[in-house]
Amino acid sequence: AQSVSQHNHHVILSEAASLELGCNYSYGGTVNLFWYVQYPGQHLQLLLKYFSGDPLVKGIKGFEAEFIKSKFSFNLRKPSVQWSDTAEYFCAVMPTGGGNKLTFGTGTQLKVEL
Amino acid sequence: KAGVTQTPRYLIKTRGQQVTLSCSPISGHRSVSWYQQTPGQGLQFLFEYFSETQRNKGNFPGRFSGRQFSNSRSEMNVSTLELGDSALYLCASSPGTSDEQYFGPGTRLTVT
């Protein structure tokens, strides 16, 4: 069975600071990788995804993530955060060819201060 | 295109009762998955339905069941409710296999 580990549970940053959220997964086969975001009072939204190809993927709102296969990692980055990025961020994996079953990490609560 | 809709949005039930939650996927999506979100356990996969067949199942007791209709709408049922079933239940739809999922707003279930 697959598992996902997010290293930071709570992160507090000032506006304009750079962000990197760690995500590591454990699975013996190929996976699709996702980052979802949950803004306060809103539903889960897809930030970005990696299926294959260029390991550096860009998502919405200036977010990007890099898939490093040798490290089983898919870290999320943003060069300069804004107050509106305050939200909970979830990394998730889905084995390819196995239907649509997402395994989520425990989430990282990001608070951006003005 | 309308998003994933879930009804009801909020529900309060008593221990021992049963509950049915409903999910309407995005038009054209054939896969519907259900997840439970709690502060302690996070987001956990319940099951997935594709073309009216359960394709994947998570590690939940048999009290949790679901089904999918020919129009891809899905229902989830929890029988003999326990206090620990209090959670946000999320539905997600997807066009095919190993695809990104689009989440609904969830149903907040409180068991008293």
Side-chain angles (χ1 to χ4, degrees):
Chain A
Q2 62 270 27
S3 65
V4 179
S5 176
Q6 289 183 242
H7 316 299
N8 318 96
H9 298 295
H10 292 90
V11 173
I12 301 175
L13 294 172
S14 299
E15 266 204 330
S18 63
L19 169 73
E20 180 159 3
L21 301 182
C23 172
N24 286 88
Y25 69 94
S26 172
Y27 185 67
T30 56
V31 295
N32 293 334
L33 296 155
F34 306 84
W35 276 96
Y36 280 87
V37 61
Q38 195 170 33
Y39 296 104
Q42 296 188 28
H43 58 273
L44 273 170
Q45 300 172 39
L46 181 69
L47 262 183
L48 46 79
K49 62 187 179 185
Y50 173 79
F51 283 9
S52 63
D54 188 343
L56 184 62
V57 293
K58 295 190 184 300
I60 61 172
K61 303 186 181 186
F63 286 91
E64 65 178 32
E66 184 176 13
F67 171 50
I68 303 179
K69 191 175 181 180
S70 60
K71 295 184 178 180
F72 297 90
S73 70
F74 191 55
N75 293 353
L76 181 71
R77 299 194 293 249
K78 185 171 184 179
S80 176
V81 295
Q82 301 173 309
W83 178 79
S84 58
D85 293 325
T86 294
E88 190 157 19
Y89 293 80
F90 295 92
C91 179
V93 302
M94 177 191 292
T96 57
N100 295 317
K101 175 183 176 180
L102 281 169
T103 299
F104 285 90
T106 51
T108 297
Q109 187 69 53
L110 171 66
K111 181 178 179 182
V112 180
E113 297 178 331
L114 295 169
Chain B
K1 221 179 221 185
V4 177
T5 58
Q6 294 186 242
T7 57
R9 293 292 311 279
Y10 302 91
L11 207 47
I12 300 175
K13 289 286 188 179
T14 304
R15 254 185 317 177
Q17 288 185 316
Q18 74 164 21
V19 67
T20 299
L21 312 182
S22 181
C23 171
S24 292
I26 292 171
S27 178
H29 286 192
R30 296 166 64 190
S31 166
V32 173
S33 299
W34 289 88
Y35 295 84
Q36 182 195 65
Q37 186 175 23
T38 60
Q41 299 297 317
L43 281 153
Q44 293 186 289
F45 173 79
L46 279 155
F47 30 66
E48 181 209 1
Y49 287 86
F50 185 84
S51 294
E52 302 178 66
T53 301
Q54 188 180 85
R55 186 159 68 172
N56 278 294
K57 190 176 190 307
N59 296 322
F60 279 81
R63 299 185 297 106
F64 292 81
S65 63
R67 59 178 175 168
Q68 187 180 34
F69 303 95
S70 58
N71 62 358
S72 293
R73 191 177 70 85
S74 177
E75 288 182 347
M76 188 191 106
N77 184 276
V78 188
S79 62
T80 320
L81 283 165
E82 300 177 359
L83 295 178
D85 297 332
S86 294
L88 181 66
Y89 290 89
L90 297 172
C91 168
S93 77
S94 187
T97 298
S98 297
D99 239 325
E100 68 182 85
Q101 296 187 5
Y102 298 81
F103 283 82
T107 294
R108 173 75 63 185
L109 171 65
T110 302
V111 182
T112 63

